[in-house]
């Protein structure tokens, strides 16, 4: 049963970093949530009044709390478990659709902030200019098949683009190199087996077969800058999400079996904000805008799955933004290892207090996540090797002591917080 809890003014409901899966609703009074902007170091404060929810993102994403919640007045809040929230609110389309739009906006803002950090400003391009830029980024990464796919999409959607001559020239060159590469590599790449997701069982009926589409490794399912007209549910395989920033592709996420992608453009009717490429051979269910209202918004269970996905992405993207804001590149790479540890370490390793970790990542992977050049990543990793912190191999990296990595990152943030406190004191005294 939901619990009703009374708080006196200035009482703490939960702290940032706390673990907890309860969702809260303000029944009376005023609650504020506080967080530190990871880019500016300034405090963000959001005021919540009667009927408003808080604690949803961290509860759904099963991550530590991202904010501190405080009673700004004497307040009464209702505490619900995730199961109670789903039972009470999943049938309410007005509430769930509003939450989807709010989370979609939050995720898009994090994407914009990430681009701004990496490029100093957010630049938008016309579709033909943007798509050719994305194609060139794949060409530079020697992903020639993906480059060909994007240019074909461009010429199909805009038969007479402003950059047609450059597009056709790049297409001819990429085709030739893609054919040469295919002669040398004829291996199909499969995704690791993932436990069956309940969200897929609803789509096992024969009627859903007409929505199924298959993609080979390297196929471009969605291209950044093109109009958003479809969204997808992964039945099998993995999909890589990348964004083109200053002419280079940066990894944003990997979508697995049972997860959606492409839904942001459906919800807020905007152009695609990233490119989605088949990382392995992939089978998906493809739905259009009309299907979205009936199949998702009209299905309480799917709406809940989508809300949880948005919350997970918001938390993951916030985590990655936090990484690229670390100025010390060695510490930044240590934090990438901690991110991998949070994503892939088994409960058994944690329970037996195993400090050693093996991550199936390459120097290129780390460079992508840290948003630095491969050369810089290699230099910083060599320093960690010399200090006996890691062992680097072609397709994997051993971290000798993951707790040591955490101490390094924690020390960095402690020093940063002390600097912010001293600066705030100085600013207060000057004023």
């Amino acid at each position: 049963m939901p619990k009703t809890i009374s708080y006196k003014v200035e009482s703490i409901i939960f702290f940032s970093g706390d673990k907890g899966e309860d969702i809260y609703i303000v029944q009376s009074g005023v609650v504020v949530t506080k967080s530190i902007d990871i880019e500016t170091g300034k405090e963000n404060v959001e005021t919540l009044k009667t009927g408003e929810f808080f604690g949803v993102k961290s509860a759904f994403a099963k991550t530590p709390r991202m904010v501190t919640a405080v009673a700004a007045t004497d307040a009464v809040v209702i505490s619900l478990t995730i199961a109670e929230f789903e039972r009470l609110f999943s049938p309410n389309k007005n509430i769930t659709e509003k939450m989807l739009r709010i989370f979609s906006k939050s995720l898009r803002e994090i994407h914009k902030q990430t681009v701004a950090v990496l490029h100093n400003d957010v630049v938008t391009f016309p579709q033909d200019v943007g798509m050719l830029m994305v194609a060139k980024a794949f060409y530079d990464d020697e992903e020639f098949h993906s480059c060909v796919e994007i240019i074909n999409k461009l010429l199909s959607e805009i038969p007479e683009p402003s950059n047609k001559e450059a597009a056709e020239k790049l297409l001819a060159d990429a085709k030739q190199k893609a054919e040469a590469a295919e002669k040398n590599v004829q291996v199909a790449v499969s995704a690791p087996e993932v436990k069956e997701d309940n969200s897929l069982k609803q789509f096992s009926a024969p009627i859903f077969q007409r929505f199924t589409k298959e993609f080979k490794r390297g196929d471009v399912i969605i291209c950044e800058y093109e109009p958003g007209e479809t969204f997808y549910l992964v039945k099998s395989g993995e999909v890589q999400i990348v964004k083109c920033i200053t002419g280079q592709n940066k990894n944003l996420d990997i979508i697995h079996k049972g997860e959606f992608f492409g839904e942001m453009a459906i919800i807020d009717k905007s152009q695609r904000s990233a490119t989605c490429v088949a990382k392995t051979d992939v089978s998906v269910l493809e739905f259009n805008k009309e299907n979205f209202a009936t199949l998702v918004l009209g299905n309480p269970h799917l709406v809940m799955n989508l809300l949880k996905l948005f919350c997970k992405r918001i938390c993951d993207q916030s985590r990655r933004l936090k990484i690229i804001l670390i100025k010390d590149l060695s510490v930044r790479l240590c934090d990438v290892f901690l991110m991998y540890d949070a994503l892939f370490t088994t409960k058994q390793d944690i329970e037996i207090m195993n400090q050693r970790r093996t991550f199936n990542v390459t120097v290129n992977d780390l460079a992508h996540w840290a948003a630095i050049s491969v050369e810089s990543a290699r230099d910083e990793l060599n320093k960690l090797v010399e200090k006996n912190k890691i062992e680097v191999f072609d397709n994997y990296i051993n971290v000798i002591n993951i707790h040591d990595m955490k101490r390094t990152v924690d020390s960095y943030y402690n020093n940063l917080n002390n600097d912010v406190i001293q600066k705030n004191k100085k600013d207060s005294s000057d004023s």
Side-chain angles (χ1 to χ4, degrees):
M1 288 287 293
K3 300 175 184 176
T4 301
I5 309 172
S6 297
Y7 290 94
K8 293 293 185 182
V9 61
E10 296 187 359
S11 296
I12 303 296
I13 300 171
F14 56 74
F15 285 99
S16 175
D18 284 353
K19 294 183 179 179
E21 296 185 3
D22 286 342
I23 295 171
Y24 298 87
I25 309 171
V26 181
Q27 187 177 60
S28 65
V30 178
V31 172
V32 296
T33 59
K34 300 179 180 181
S35 61
I36 301 299
D37 187 296
I38 55 180
E39 184 175 6
T40 65
K42 295 181 179 179
E43 186 176 62
N44 293 326
V45 179
E46 182 180 359
T47 301
L48 304 167
K49 298 181 180 179
T50 301
E52 295 189 292
F53 296 88
F54 61 101
V56 179
K57 295 188 188 78
S58 55
F60 275 167
K62 300 185 185 302
T63 61
R65 301 293 188 185
M66 300 171 68
V67 298
T68 296
V70 185
T73 66
D74 288 350
V76 178
V77 304
I78 299 172
S79 171
L80 307 95
T81 65
I82 293 175
E84 289 167 344
F85 178 88
E86 291 183 8
R87 186 177 70 253
L88 293 172
F89 294 102
S90 63
N92 191 321
K93 288 180 64 176
N94 290 333
I95 289 178
T96 54
E97 187 171 355
K98 181 181 178 181
M99 293 179 78
L100 281 173
R101 294 189 186 282
I102 290 171
F103 292 158
S104 175
K105 182 180 178 181
S106 296
L107 187 57
R108 193 170 290 278
E109 287 302 315
I110 294 171
H111 283 164
K112 287 181 180 179
Q113 192 177 0
T114 302
V115 174
V117 169
L118 295 174
H119 187 34
N120 297 323
D121 55 7
V122 180
V123 181
T124 57
F125 297 96
Q127 182 182 349
D128 53 354
V129 175
M131 289 183 72
L132 184 59
M133 180 177 66
V134 175
K136 181 65 166 56
F138 277 97
Y139 181 93
D140 292 342
D141 287 341
E142 298 185 356
E143 298 288 348
F144 302 116
H145 174 71
S146 300
C147 174
V148 169
E149 292 245 307
I150 292 170
I151 299 176
N152 283 334
K153 276 178 173 281
L154 167 60
L155 296 176
S156 172
E157 293 171 12
I158 308 177
E160 294 296 328
S162 62
N163 47 15
K164 185 175 181 179
E165 183 177 348
E168 289 179 338
K169 181 178 179 182
L170 182 61
L171 176 62
D173 191 13
K175 271 185 176 179
Q176 185 177 18
K177 293 189 175 181
E179 290 170 0
E182 286 174 5
K183 291 178 181 178
N184 296 327
V185 181
Q186 296 288 340
V187 180
V189 180
S190 300
E193 280 299 313
V194 178
K195 185 179 179 181
E196 183 69 23
D197 190 280
N198 288 332
S199 64
L200 293 178
K201 293 180 180 178
Q202 301 171 78
F203 298 104
S204 59
I207 190 174
F208 286 105
Q209 289 302 312
R210 64 191 179 96
F211 297 110
T212 299
K213 293 193 72 173
E214 309 288 339
F215 294 92
K216 296 292 185 183
R217 179 183 179 277
D219 285 353
V220 176
I221 306 169
I222 287 173
C223 181
E224 187 176 355
Y225 293 102
E226 69 179 338
E229 298 178 350
T230 51
F231 73 102
Y232 301 85
L233 175 69
V234 179
K235 291 174 65 179
S236 65
E238 294 180 339
V239 177
Q240 180 78 57
I241 312 297
V242 300
K243 187 168 184 66
C244 186
I245 300 173
T246 62
Q248 293 183 321
N249 283 330
K250 304 293 183 182
N251 290 329
L252 292 182
D253 208 349
I254 296 176
I255 305 301
H256 303 279
K257 179 179 179 181
E259 295 183 337
F260 287 99
F261 65 97
E263 70 291 328
M264 279 173 57
I266 295 291
I267 291 173
D268 56 22
K269 299 179 181 178
S270 57
Q271 68 179 190
R272 300 296 193 184
S273 61
T275 300
C276 305
V277 184
K279 182 177 173 66
T280 66
D281 290 350
V282 171
S283 177
V284 299
L285 295 172
E286 179 185 74
F287 302 116
N288 58 31
K289 289 182 179 180
E290 290 71 30
N291 299 141
F292 185 82
T294 56
L295 294 173
V296 177
L297 297 182
N299 185 317
H301 181 69
L302 281 181
V303 169
M304 284 297 112
N305 284 343
L306 194 54
L307 283 172
K308 291 172 185 177
L309 174 61
F310 268 119
C311 292
K312 180 180 181 299
R313 286 201 193 158
I314 289 169
C315 293
D316 287 349
Q317 292 304 319
S318 296
R319 178 75 174 87
R320 286 158 193 167
L321 176 59
K322 189 177 180 181
I323 288 172
I324 65 175
L325 287 169
I326 295 175
K327 300 191 185 315
D328 186 315
L329 298 188
S330 179
V331 177
R332 192 185 296 189
L333 286 171
C334 289
D335 208 16
V336 174
F337 286 123
L338 292 182
M339 181 190 74
Y340 270 94
D341 188 49
L343 290 173
F344 301 115
T345 298
T346 64
K347 288 184 179 180
Q348 183 180 6
D349 278 332
I350 296 173
E351 288 170 357
I352 65 175
M353 302 295 290
N354 184 16
Q355 299 177 357
R356 188 179 180 88
R357 299 286 189 268
T358 297
F359 298 118
N360 294 321
V361 294
T362 64
V363 175
N364 284 21
D365 293 329
L366 293 173
H368 269 303
W369 292 123
I372 59 179
S373 68
V374 175
E375 291 75 16
S376 294
R378 188 172 287 111
D379 289 343
E380 296 300 330
L381 289 172
N382 284 338
K383 294 176 186 177
L384 292 174
V385 170
E386 290 172 3
K387 295 177 181 178
N388 199 33
K389 305 281 187 182
I390 61 172
E391 298 168 337
V392 179
F393 300 90
D394 288 342
N395 297 313
Y396 66 96
I397 294 176
N398 289 331
V399 174
I400 307 302
N401 188 332
I402 196 67
H403 301 309
D404 193 31
M405 293 282 177
K406 188 174 188 306
R407 283 190 288 270
T408 298
V409 175
D410 287 346
S411 176
Y412 174 87
Y413 281 115
N414 286 337
N415 292 334
L416 197 64
N417 290 337
N418 289 335
D419 290 344
V420 170
I421 291 171
Q422 293 303 318
K423 183 178 183 301
N424 290 340
K425 285 182 178 180
K426 183 177 184 301
D427 291 342
S428 297
S429 62
D430 290 343
S431 60

